[in-house]
Amino acid sequence: MSAYTCFDCSFTLHVVCASLTPTTKTIQSQIQLQPTHPHPLISCDLNNNNCKYTYSCSCCSQPFDDDRSVVYVCLECKGLLHKTCAQLPRKIDHPFHPSHPLFLLPQKPRFFGYTCGACSQYKDSFIYHCSDCEFYLDIACASLSPNPAENNEFGQIRRFSHSHPLILCDNKQKFEICCYACEIPLGDSICFCVECKVLLHESCAGLPHEMKHMFHPMHALTLRYHRYGKCEACLRHSSGCFYECSQCQWYMDVRCALSKPKTMMSKIHPHPLTLFNKPNYNILCTTCRQFCVTPFFRCVLCHFDLHIYCISILPPTLKYFNHVHTLTLNRSPIKDYPDEDDDAEFYCDACEERRVLAHPTYYCKDCHYVAHCHCTVSEIIHILEEEWSEQESKGAEQVEEPTSLTLKQFLDSFNGDENKEVKGVFDAYRRDSQGDCSDNPKDSLYLDEASTEIMKILVSKNQVTMPWENWNSTLKLIKVDDYMILENLAPILGTLFGKYGDFSGMSNLSPKAKMLYIMTVCDAVNSMLSTKVKNITTNVLLSWFHCFMLGHFAGFEIQFAFGRLTRVVRSHFGLQADVSLRPHRYQIE
């Protein structure tokens, strides 16, 4: 930004600030109602300023508008102030920090800011401060005043499901403050928790402590405060409130948990697909591998994502409520005028937003009406769900299948040849692990030399067992792509397939035998992800190694699993010694 500079004084003034014209050089007398700012102030009138730049107050960070046309300039604080901010008291008692008074820090920090103790937001503007407790309160939160009609004699309310007492406050000055839970701006009525130091909507203060959700049907989710992480539903990173499944280490932010998504069942995918409307640069379409910057469908269970225009079975025609004629699917580029360049700007006639020429559209030739596929999504969902319902009803007439299958039922359904296949893979690995495998390349196929030697010692002292013998036989199986998988392992398989493709594709096993060993690999990956470093033992490492080796002997391409296991083995034994040393020196129990 351009600026004026005085080299004698090292004084710099932005051009937009230089355009401010002082109304008088008599400074403090311009402020009515007992001025409290500790430095001289220069009064400027924005109405006489021809600059179109939008100024913001250095104290409260709010813009100057028509009702606040006077700007006060403090050269000591190097800031622009509203009149009300120039009159802020230097000392206040506030219910958000009742133990000590708060003092105004009028100078804007140059190198670092503060985290407000009410809204938990990082601030670099003026702030109230308690030096005894290192408690900070920004100007917007300091303006919140408790509602005496709603709070009890102790200034608190307990009628919400939140575990601590809350203070119900009025936002009389209409500051834009976001809710800590859902990150949506708060309205006139705000709840503050002194214990958690968060500001909440009244509705968010009543969030259920535990809930079941379609995005994670396996287990109940528990509300957690003060957490930073990635939401497994939308894959966005955020801080604040999350719903957590502690068994699966699975998290979902409050916005996704409270949303009422539009879902559909169709022939596209075996699980319900949820419509996400907002652009998301964390998600790639499974088909075209481009970012999902237009509305898309997502299966949260197995991380299957699809642009609406990438659906292979889009209805060829549909009746859109906003157009008189039937629209036809067109996968060829449609320009507004034949002589336009390919890089010209083209617009959707339904939403009047820009459209990409190469993307499929719904088109009316009579009216030259062109619409995004996602603008007609309601009709698309209706048609695809009807087709799916018809297919399901026909299938039900032909054969009646059980609604679910347990692990025991799945294992009992194996015929003699399938059982021989499963046992053949297991016996091959057991013989290999019990023999003298010092020269066998299979043992060091993916592990490094030190890790291979360590695992040899462990394997020689332990007997190999079939992992599924220790699984809960009542666990249910669901379908992911063309495979059956234990319900709790479906997200793991979906993630692995999404990242590494079908790692079992080269295996010669029959489908059922292949599925059982896929579950074996996924169970080990799931255990690896949910086990804290401090809880890893040599027995745990051995169980993971057995599962991955069984997958390898089943013909799976699972280098990714051995790569992760190598890092874990080195980290675990590195606590005792440098793994680059000779492995036989370790004391492995």
Side-chain angles (χ1 to χ4, degrees):
M1 182 180 288
S2 301
Y4 293 100
T5 301
C6 174
F7 294 103
D8 293 335
C9 308
S10 297
F11 178 83
T12 302
L13 195 64
H14 287 145
V15 171
V16 292
C17 292
S19 66
L20 292 171
T21 306
T23 56
T24 178
K25 291 187 178 180
T26 307
I27 301 174
Q28 289 280 15
S29 62
Q30 297 297 308
I31 306 178
Q32 307 297 320
L33 305 174
Q34 293 186 346
T36 56
H37 193 80
H39 311 128
L41 300 170
I42 302 173
S43 172
C44 299
D45 192 349
L46 276 182
N47 293 331
N48 296 329
N49 181 25
N50 295 323
C51 181
K52 295 183 179 180
Y53 180 80
T54 302
Y55 297 90
S56 294
C57 178
S58 303
C59 181
C60 66
S61 301
Q62 299 297 306
F64 291 90
D65 52 31
D66 294 338
D67 296 330
R68 299 171 176 176
S69 59
V70 177
V71 178
Y72 290 95
V73 180
C74 178
L75 297 179
E76 291 286 335
C77 298
K78 296 180 174 58
L80 310 177
L81 306 174
H82 293 121
K83 179 178 178 180
T84 53
C85 291
Q87 295 172 334
L88 285 173
R90 301 183 66 182
K91 175 183 175 182
I92 61 171
D93 293 309
H94 203 281
F96 290 0
H97 188 71
S99 52
H100 303 106
L102 302 176
F103 294 88
L104 182 65
L105 296 180
Q107 284 192 311
K108 190 172 181 178
R110 294 184 180 180
F111 304 111
F112 58 90
Y114 313 100
T115 299
C116 175
C119 65
S120 298
Q121 296 297 308
Y122 180 84
K123 301 289 182 177
D124 62 357
S125 53
F126 291 22
I127 203 159
Y128 280 100
H129 175 225
C130 171
S131 58
D132 294 334
C133 307
E134 287 301 309
F135 177 85
Y136 300 93
L137 194 65
D138 67 42
I139 304 304
C141 294
S143 71
L144 300 177
S145 55
N147 187 328
E150 295 287 347
N151 299 305
N152 61 23
E153 59 181 324
F154 301 105
Q156 298 173 337
I157 53 174
R158 281 186 174 272
R159 67 169 180 261
F160 298 106
S161 62
H162 190 79
S163 55
H164 309 125
L166 301 169
I167 301 174
L168 192 62
C169 301
D170 294 327
N171 186 13
K172 294 180 180 178
Q173 296 191 34
K174 309 295 183 184
F175 280 110
E176 187 172 303
I177 307 170
C178 288
C179 174
Y180 183 80
C182 66
E183 299 180 352
I184 296 173
L186 294 158
D188 295 337
S189 186
I190 299 173
C191 293
F192 175 67
C193 176
V194 180
E195 187 83 15
C196 300
K197 293 182 173 55
V198 294
L199 297 171
L200 304 166
H201 288 110
E202 290 189 52
S203 58
C204 291
L207 288 172
H209 179 68
E210 191 173 273
M211 71 184 305
K212 292 282 289 182
H213 200 279
M214 62 174 292
F215 288 163
H216 191 73
M218 294 80 77
H219 308 110
L221 303 175
T222 305
L223 183 64
R224 299 283 186 239
Y225 284 85
H226 298 300
R227 190 182 182 285
Y228 177 81
K230 181 180 73 173
C231 173
E232 297 290 347
C234 65
L235 300 189
R236 287 190 172 92
H237 288 270
S238 60
S239 59
C241 297
F242 276 81
Y243 277 95
E244 174 196 28
C245 173
S246 56
Q247 298 182 56
C248 304
Q249 296 295 299
W250 193 93
Y251 303 93
M252 179 170 58
D253 63 36
V254 170
R255 287 174 298 177
C256 290
L258 297 181
S259 65
K260 296 180 179 179
K262 185 179 291 185
T263 62
M264 75 168 182
M265 287 298 303
S266 72
K267 293 183 287 186
I268 304 169
H269 191 69
H271 307 140
L273 292 176
T274 302
L275 178 65
F276 284 76
N277 284 311
K278 293 184 178 180
N280 196 317
Y281 289 91
N282 297 309
I283 296 178
L284 293 176
C285 174
T286 304
T287 298
C288 69
R289 308 306 296 170
Q290 300 297 313
F291 289 115
C292 293
V293 295
T294 61
F296 62 99
F297 283 111
R298 174 169 173 76
C299 173
V300 176
L301 283 174
C302 57
H303 293 192
F304 173 84
D305 306 292
L306 194 64
H307 288 121
I308 294 171
Y309 58 77
C310 286
I311 295 175
S312 59
I313 56 171
L314 283 173
T317 60
L318 55 79
K319 189 69 179 72
Y320 180 46
F321 74 93
N322 204 27
H323 190 70
V324 65
H325 302 131
T326 298
L327 301 180
T328 303
L329 177 64
N330 197 311
R331 296 188 181 274
S332 302
I334 298 177
K335 299 179 181 180
D336 294 333
Y337 301 98
D339 58 346
E340 282 184 298
D341 295 332
D342 289 350
D343 56 355
E345 292 187 359
F346 302 96
Y347 290 87
C348 168
D349 292 314
C351 66
E352 299 183 355
E353 297 290 335
R354 288 189 64 179
R355 61 183 175 89
V356 178
L357 188 62
H359 290 173
T361 54
Y362 277 95
Y363 176 56
C364 174
K365 186 176 181 180
D366 295 336
C367 309
H368 199 82
Y369 182 93
V370 188
H372 289 127
C373 291
H374 61 255
C375 288
T376 62
V377 68
S378 297
E379 284 75 14
I380 290 173
I381 290 175
H382 177 68
I383 294 171
L384 294 182
E385 282 192 323
E386 275 192 345
E387 291 179 355
W388 177 81
S389 299
E390 291 175 4
Q391 184 186 35
E392 288 292 295
S393 60
K394 289 178 182 177
E397 292 173 3
Q398 294 171 2
V399 57
E400 186 175 344
E401 295 184 355
T403 55
S404 61
L405 197 67
T406 65
L407 175 62
K408 183 179 185 305
Q409 291 169 333
F410 175 71
L411 293 175
D412 290 344
S413 70
F414 280 49
N415 60 33
D417 291 338
E418 289 165 340
N419 278 319
K420 284 182 182 178
E421 278 189 301
V422 171
K423 193 171 185 303
V425 172
F426 179 79
D427 287 344
Y429 171 54
R430 184 172 57 183
R431 287 193 301 270
D432 186 89
S433 63
Q434 290 176 349
D436 182 9
C437 52
S438 57
D439 297 323
N440 194 334
K442 287 184 179 179
D443 286 316
S444 57
L445 189 60
Y446 300 124
L447 300 180
D448 62 11
E449 183 178 354
S451 300
T452 298
E453 293 300 320
I454 290 172
M455 297 315 300
K456 282 181 184 178
I457 297 172
L458 293 178
V459 170
S460 66
K461 294 183 177 182
N462 293 271
Q463 187 175 359
V464 184
T465 59
M466 292 182 176
W468 49 89
E469 291 179 346
N470 299 318
W471 296 349
N472 184 347
S473 62
T474 63
L475 290 173
K476 292 182 178 180
L477 279 72
I478 62 172
K479 192 173 183 182
V480 173
D481 292 337
D482 296 326
Y483 299 100
M484 297 297 292
I485 186 76
L486 291 173
E487 193 174 33
N488 65 308
L489 300 178
I492 299 294
L493 181 60
T495 302
L496 294 179
F497 275 8
K499 190 170 184 179
Y500 303 107
D502 187 351
F503 54 80
S504 68
M506 302 299 292
S507 174
N508 294 321
L509 295 178
S510 63
K512 284 186 180 177
K514 186 187 293 187
M515 288 181 209
L516 185 60
Y517 282 109
I518 286 176
M519 291 185 218
T520 300
V521 171
C522 289
D523 185 60
V525 172
N526 185 47
S527 173
M528 187 177 286
L529 293 174
S530 59
T531 304
K532 295 180 179 178
V533 174
K534 64 180 181 180
N535 295 330
I536 294 177
T537 64
T538 52
N539 286 335
V540 170
L541 288 173
L542 185 62
S543 69
W544 294 342
F545 179 74
H546 284 328
C547 289
F548 294 151
M549 287 302 294
L550 285 170
H552 169 61
F553 272 75
F556 297 168
E557 298 291 331
I558 51 173
Q559 296 93 327
F560 60 86
F562 286 99
R564 176 65 180 263
L565 183 62
T566 297
R567 293 193 294 272
V568 175
V569 170
R570 293 184 69 90
S571 175
H572 178 70
F573 291 102
L575 299 175
Q576 304 171 37
D578 184 353
V579 295
S580 64
L581 300 177
R582 292 171 58 188
H584 66 262
R585 294 182 181 177
Y586 296 112
Q587 295 296 320
I588 302 176
E589 300 177 358

